[in-house]
Amino acid sequence: MLYSSRQAGALMPAALGGGGYITGLLQHPVDSRILYARCDVAGVFRSRDGGESWETLNRGMTRAFHHQVQSFAISRHHPEVMFRCCGEVRSRIFYGAVHKSIDGGNNWYEVCEGMGFYGNGPTRMYGEVIAVDPFHQGIIAAGGYTGGLWISRDEGESWEPSSLPEERFGCVAFHPDQPGALYAGTISDDELNMDYADPGEHGILGLLQDSPRGRAGKLYFSSDSGQSWELLAEGPSFAELSFDSLNPQRLLAACIWGGIRSSADGGRSWQSAGEGLLKGIQRYGTVVRDWHDPQRWYTAPDVRPQMKDIPPVPLYVSDDGAERWKLLHVHRDTDLSGFPAYMDSFDGGSRACAAGWAISKLIVDRFTPGRLYLCNWYGVAISEDYGMTWRAKEFRGLETTCMEAAAADKYQPGKFCVTMADHSPKVTEDGGLTFRSLPGLPSYSGSSAVVISAADPGLYLYGLIGHSRTACIAAYRDGEDKALAVLTLGHGLFVQALREDYHQHGIYYAYVDGEISAGAGIYRSRDGGVSWERTAFRPQAHVATLPHHKRWIEAELLSVVVYQVKNACGSNQLMDTNPHRAGQLLAGEATEGVWQSSDSGVTWDYIGEGLPFQHSGPAAVLNAVAYSPSHPETIYAGFISEGLWRSSNGGQSWHKLFPVTEGKPFNVSGISARRGESGEDLLILASEPMVRTSTESELAWSRDGGETWDKWEHTGLGAVRWKGIALDCEGGQVLAVTCGNGAFRGTISG
């Protein structure tokens, strides 16, 4: 691999910030303006202005699971010392690590690999499983999703396993008023959150690739900071513990489906403390005491969209020490300010319902009475009046933006369109400084592929992802009131890519994933996207789905949540049209080959001989194909693990282009090509880190068609999962999109 001295402009955050499900909040013990948030896919965020805006804190993260944070903690003794627990599961193996920061989260380094964590798993929204002893600055305790509970006695630099069994820990907490008192609660197999998946015949644990870890939750206690343990209680799952400041023996617990419970004897016996809470069985994961009023407590059930007759923002309060509860307020949209406009479409147009969906944590400001924070699926909201009204400041820097793809306009410099796992597409016309939303459709919550029409200015075609694993192609024209569904697809189908013929007005192509017998394949529209027909594209007879190894690729290799198919897998890259020849297009299948049609999809020829489909193991997966903008016969194919390949003769033969370093894998998760000033291809590659391939986050670019390369410096962003990258029509402006860490803009010059 050759490197030149040319430089690309620095990558800067675009106006679409990072985020995901915000599962935890911490307040700095000294500085009231500093808050920290943890995220299931995007790492740790910090606010320096009391939650008004946020920045990511992932420097030092290198591995694929490092941004999937299950828990974090801050030292009361040394507030610049922090810890984070991250991990995920792939192929029945749980990965995990504890990282430490000594500068307030600006930089992190790994201190322990003994436990497996599940930052995007079914316990992500519950209590902290790492805690700092409030009486001894050197003692840290952490309980894994696997691997048991470990103790450090030198402020997190070294760790040893405790005697506790390898159960699924849901909360770990030191008693704030009793030296040496340490509690550890576990979660039973039966009380895992799997709302996002159908367990099917294998059950919940089969989906999680997990082993049974206990049919009952347990609460363990140590009086000597983890040196010895006793079992206090067995039965309910323990998701979060809180301590009564008026009575050291009294504890409150959020017990998931067991509701809110209290103990008057230090945790040995438990009673229901749910009088006045929502009727029926609800899931509770948080219960907190007001720092300024020891009799005042807060909780909220974990409400999901399918639940009916639930009050918006279901925040409950007790003013008598958690003996009786009442709904704090029936919130209306007028009680909320600064929440993004896309939340208006939630549940028939209720922004208040969206604000109360999937509340994971409530915290009370230590310094300012009446100031509360909550976090949920969308971000962090703030109340200044004990929870009566809430504001969000548009979740600035913390939007839920797990992005799928980026596409550039062929004629307007700086114009890009971005698709997202949880939102309709967004468009920028100034290189990423500002964005506007394209309209979605009822029952569709995310977007996948997109094409900005060159022949019909102002027209967009984009794939939308619906509930129950449905999809459609939507058409929208600037200035119109709404989008229209021009092709509605059946269950399990998904719009992988959309392209426009460069030379034939009104002809578009769509690559549809899923069961071939149900309609997956390549579609063509001859009338500007109004109507569609399926082409004759068919892979080999043994291929029943696109992709062929669909379940493995989407659940093991690319997905964000295990078995939540098509969640930020990356899309819009397995099909391309030739800018030099009308009617010529490429289609790639992840493990089986590449095909080309020269007659608008009527007939297809296999051109994948020589590519690493069969001999490099299951992780050698085709992820992108592209025609050269400079040479009619040149084609690029980007692979997970196997890097970038090029054919200079229309696919008759191929050779590996980047990287060529022996033994170093490279994941082409995004590719973009434009004709450079020299007449050669200007190429940019994005590589996302993956557990299966042991690769790291990288961006590389070449001005000479791939003969020499430079890497973009972005180590401060951590283990960013790059999903797509696009060059504008002049090849000077770049927009790169990620899963959870937002969009980034940059320039290439010189």
Side-chain angles (χ1 to χ4, degrees), residues 208-231:
L208 297 180
Q209 306 172 71
D210 199 1
S211 302
R213 299 185 184 278
R215 297 300 301 271
K218 297 176 183 177
L219 183 65
Y220 295 98
F221 175 72
S222 172
S223 61
D224 51 15
S225 299
Q227 296 186 64
S228 61
W229 293 88
E230 63 175 311
L231 176 63

Side-chain angles (χ1 to χ4, degrees), residues 449-531:
V450 64
V451 61
I452 307 172
S453 178
D456 191 354
L459 175 66
Y460 306 85
L461 295 174
Y462 43 96
L464 292 178
I465 306 167
H467 306 311
S468 303
R469 297 182 182 174
T470 57
C472 75
I473 297 176
Y476 173 74
R477 191 180 304 278
D478 280 336
E480 295 183 347
D481 294 333
K482 61 182 180 179
L484 297 175
V486 293
L487 178 63
T488 300
L489 299 166
H491 177 82
L493 299 180
F494 174 87
V495 184
Q496 208 287 333
L498 286 163
R499 289 292 185 272
E500 179 181 24
D501 194 296
Y502 281 78
H503 305 280
Q504 300 182 97
H505 181 76
I507 294 184
Y508 297 88
Y509 301 94
Y511 189 129
V512 175
D513 279 3
E515 297 283 342
I516 292 176
S517 62
I522 307 297
Y523 287 71
R524 177 182 58 234
S525 173
R526 299 178 184 270
D527 55 9
V530 175
S531 62

Side-chain angles (χ1 to χ4, degrees), residues 424-597:
S424 61
K426 294 184 184 292
V427 175
T428 177
E429 298 182 3
D430 52 20
L433 294 174
T434 61
F435 285 83
R436 59 185 170 90
S437 295
L438 299 183
L441 291 170
S443 299
Y444 294 92
S445 58
S447 52
S448 56
V450 64
V451 61
I452 307 172
S453 178
D456 191 354
L459 175 66
Y460 306 85
L461 295 174
Y462 43 96
L464 292 178
I465 306 167
H467 306 311
S468 303
R469 297 182 182 174
T470 57
C472 75
I473 297 176
Y476 173 74
R477 191 180 304 278
D478 280 336
E480 295 183 347
D481 294 333
K482 61 182 180 179
L484 297 175
V486 293
L487 178 63
T488 300
L489 299 166
H491 177 82
L493 299 180
F494 174 87
V495 184
Q496 208 287 333
L498 286 163
R499 289 292 185 272
E500 179 181 24
D501 194 296
Y502 281 78
H503 305 280
Q504 300 182 97
H505 181 76
I507 294 184
Y508 297 88
Y509 301 94
Y511 189 129
V512 175
D513 279 3
E515 297 283 342
I516 292 176
S517 62
I522 307 297
Y523 287 71
R524 177 182 58 234
S525 173
R526 299 178 184 270
D527 55 9
V530 175
S531 62
W532 295 80
E533 60 185 342
R534 195 176 175 192
T535 74
F537 173 78
R538 298 291 186 277
Q540 301 94 322
H542 68 275
V543 177
T545 62
L546 296 176
H548 175 43
H549 296 291
K550 178 179 173 65
R551 197 66 165 173
W552 182 84
I553 290 170
E554 294 175 3
E556 291 296 330
L557 196 62
L558 290 174
S559 70
V560 179
V561 178
V562 173
Y563 286 98
Q564 184 175 346
V565 295
K566 294 303 179 188
N567 183 323
C569 290
S571 58
N572 215 35
Q573 301 191 112
L574 281 175
M575 184 175 64
D576 201 17
T577 52
N578 196 330
H580 308 282
R581 293 175 180 160
Q584 191 168 72
L585 66 152
L586 288 171
E589 201 288 324
T591 61
E592 305 305 304
V594 179
W595 288 260
Q596 183 171 250
S597 174

